[in-house]
Amino acid sequence: MAKTKKVIMLGNEAIARGAFEAGVKVSAAYPGTPSTEISEYLVQYKDSLYCEWSPNEKVAAEVALGASIAGSRAMACMKHVGFNVAADPAYSISYIGVNGGLVFMVADDPGLYSSQNEQDTRMVARAAKLPVLEPSDSAEAKEYTKLAFEISEKFDRPVVLRITTRLAHSQGIVELCEPCANQDKPYVKNIGKNVMMPNNAKPRHAVIEQKNAELALAANTMDINRVEMADTSIGVITSGIPYQYVKEALPNASVLKLGMVNPLPKELICDFASKVDRLYIIEELDPVIEEQVKAWGIEAVGKELFTVLGEYSANMIKAAILGEKADFAQPAQAPGRPPILCPGCPHRSVYHTLKKLGLHAAGDIGCYTLGAVAPLSVVDTTVCMGSSISSLHGMEKAKGKDFIKNWVAVIGDSTFMHTGVNSLINMVYNNASGTVIIMDNSTTGMTGHQDHAATGKTLMGDAAYAIDIPTLCRAIGVKNVISVNAFDLELLEKTIKEEQQKDEVSVIITKTPCVLLTKGRKPFCVVDTEKCKGCGLCLKPGCPAITKQADGKVMIDDTMCTGCGLCAKLCKSGAIRLVKEG
Ligand SMILES: Cc1ncc(C[n+]2csc(CCOP(=O)(O)OP(=O)(O)O)c2C)c(N)n1
Ligand code: SF4
Ligand code: SF4
């Protein structure tokens, strides 16, 4: 295959390129940091492939499976917690295997830069008996993506390509290749393989055990499992991004770099271990490699020395193994700043009202999770996508209707389309009485403004039917469905109070676009210092554009202010006015 040119690419960009070069026909995804950009980069190849935002990761995995069964190369992209949502199909897809190559691209988040937990996808993949490849830089990200499809087809296994935040968002040099020729295969009807009922699944289980054993054997001679023999007093088994840290911290050590972390190349590992004096296993998060190596009776040091928490670094490895203090300057540290809603965010107005009414919110995942943070402090619970509505329902069933008169569930539009709608169906079906607020800002805000099934646009940029959320709620049986502008404070307060009194499910939709979707110079507010009495009412919702001055009066930073008018509505002295239309 003719090499063309070298370019600098982010890890996520390189994976998109790898998928293109591998001849992927279909990619389905649900956004989630740090995996989101893979799909956004894939769009540039839309003349050669189809890519979509699916409403959730389970759907994405099933779309990819359908494409694979039909005979095309396909992938599903998601973050680690999304792989839990996709776990139900993934476990059985593992039994089915593939026709066209099938890859689950899963991005983990050690260090919790943007996630609700720090789980290790390698554990989930092992439990589902799925092979896992783990690249260490952008160049490998592209090459391993292509290799994942080859392994998938050769061994009839769906393959997990596991990356972490550090790789997803780091740049490296990548050599571009021509896309391979059409990889499509014909569809072959095969009930024994594709219909997972007990009589078929039983023999398939035996087949996948056999295929994985063959893969484990082949892993011993795969180029991506590479021994770099040097000083044999220290040997390190590592993979992924920690490989980079090991090379920097221990340049003279012997290293076994694993490109495939499930199944492991036992013979290669045993041989490497026998040639070094002291063996370390360095892997972020869980001791996935370590536990298997130790189970083979090999002596090694791993989590006795290294934490299962967060990201590693070269300094940390140096300190742990050589007892050396960091020998180079620490990068300048930005002061710790608590996360906050943007100035002008419509969620702030809703939370201000809930706080005023003394209500608790069962929360969900999105920008609006920040309603848990002071000074708003309204959100009491946050678990996983869709859980707000179902946990409010559980509270009612545990403590009765009166208990949840002080509660609402809050959920974003994207999260509602993801899994929230199931929970709302459950509330209606099981005669609940709670109030659900869908904070519809017409986008998937938290992950960088992706479209979804209710926005009217696809990932490929085509116009689409925008599912009408109020109509959807009515269709599943919610009788009380009210739409309110998030900044209409009076109507919002009145509506919440009224709906809270009802003994049946109510849905209030606060439909106001995310302020970052507004283009051009925004209007802004100013304070008339003559009129400002320094009462601080306007400060209550915690907008970062307003600050209190030494004289007790407030000031608005017009470079931050978006002119949402929330503070002006709260000021009883009429001291805040909108001065400029955008
Ligand atoms: C299962 C799962 N998939 C993806 C994510 C990443 N994620 C966090 S919040 C969110 C959606 C936020 O959109 P929305 O509900 O519309 O709220 P907004 O951020 O716009 O306020 C996503 C996709 C996740 N946390 N869990
Ligand atoms: S991105 Fe949009 S929804 Fe998220 S905090 Fe900012 S304004 Fe609010
Ligand atoms: S109008 Fe007031 S609340 Fe809205 S962004 Fe400007 S300062 Fe903040």
Side-chain angles (χ1 to χ4, degrees), residues 291-313:
E291 280 180 359
Q292 293 174 80
V293 169
K294 286 183 174 171
W296 295 331
I298 296 172
E299 216 175 287
V301 179
K303 297 297 174 188
E304 302 91 331
L305 210 54
F306 297 100
T307 176
V308 292
L309 312 176
E311 276 195 304
Y312 288 4
S313 67

Side-chain angles (χ1 to χ4, degrees), residues 343-344 348 524-525 543-546 556 560-568 576:
R348 180 176 284 106
F524 59 90
C525 281
C543 174
I546 320 180
I556 292 178
M560 288 176 84
C561 173
T562 64
C564 73
L566 176 61
C567 55
I576 302 179

Side-chain angles (χ1 to χ4, degrees), residues 171-197:
Q171 292 185 319
I173 295 172
V174 174
E175 189 158 15
L176 304 185
C177 303
E178 293 298 324
C180 28
N182 184 9
Q183 296 295 315
D184 262 23
K185 297 175 173 178
Y187 167 70
V188 182
K189 185 175 166 98
N190 188 342
I191 291 172
K193 190 167 183 283
N194 294 335
V195 180
M196 277 307 100
M197 54 190 184

Side-chain angles (χ1 to χ4, degrees), residues 386 389 411 415-426 472 476:
I389 301 178
I411 186 164
T415 306
F416 182 70
M417 301 309 291
H418 179 275
T419 33
V421 66
N422 304 316
S423 306
L424 190 60
I425 290 170
N426 185 48
L472 175 61
I476 61 175

Side-chain angles (χ1 to χ4, degrees), residues 11 26 105 118 158 238 260 348 387 443 513 566:
V26 172
M105 219 307 308
E118 215 176 3
T238 187
M260 185 157 75
R348 180 176 284 106
S387 62
T443 191
L566 176 61

